[in-house]
């Protein structure tokens, strides 16, 4: 009986996150404000969202600017890159 209890308890601990979901994408921001939140927020957040570290993101933005890409009328280079990486 103790083995059955331990096994069922382990299963419940593993499966609990599937039933008690905590919202992940809770930012009320979008567009440029969201990108700025990523750049100024916790360093791991930009890595989780875009798959690159902040320093890599900034280097990519500078490389794109060096190639002559300009921001569009409504979308910055940072936001364009974030859209591409997301």
């Amino acid at each position: 009986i103790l083995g059955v209890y331990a096994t069922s308890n382990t299963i419940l601990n593993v499966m609990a996150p599937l039933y008690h979901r905590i919202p992940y994408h809770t930012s009320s921001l979008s567009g440029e404000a969201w990108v700025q939140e990523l750049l100024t927020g916790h360093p791991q957040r930009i890595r989780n969202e875009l798959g690159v570290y902040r320093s890599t993101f900034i280097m990519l933005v500078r490389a794109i600017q060096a190639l002559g890409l300009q921001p569009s009328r409504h979308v910055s280079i940072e936001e364009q890159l974030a859209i591409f990486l997301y």
Side-chain angles (χ1 to χ4, degrees):
I1 293 220
L2 188 58
V4 172
Y5 174 75
T7 302
S8 64
N9 193 27
T10 302
I11 290 171
L12 288 174
N13 286 337
V14 170
M15 299 302 284
L18 298 175
Y19 293 106
H20 304 291
R21 294 187 175 167
I22 299 171
Y24 183 75
H25 297 282
T26 58
S27 177
S28 61
L29 302 175
S30 63
E32 181 66 23
W34 180 72
V35 173
Q36 290 306 314
E37 180 183 60
L38 289 178
L39 288 170
T40 59
H42 191 279
Q44 192 60 35
R45 178 130 189 267
I46 191 169
R47 173 85 165 109
N48 291 341
E49 296 294 330
L50 302 181
V52 296
Y53 293 103
R54 183 183 329 179
S55 59
T56 304
F57 185 85
I58 292 169
M59 287 183 353
L60 285 170
V61 167
R62 289 180 182 154
I64 290 169
Q65 289 171 332
L67 292 172
L69 181 69
Q70 298 293 320
S72 70
R73 180 179 289 172
H74 301 289
V75 184
S76 68
I77 294 173
E78 291 83 1
E79 188 178 351
Q80 290 177 38
L81 180 58
I83 291 167
F84 176 76
L85 293 172
Y86 188 78

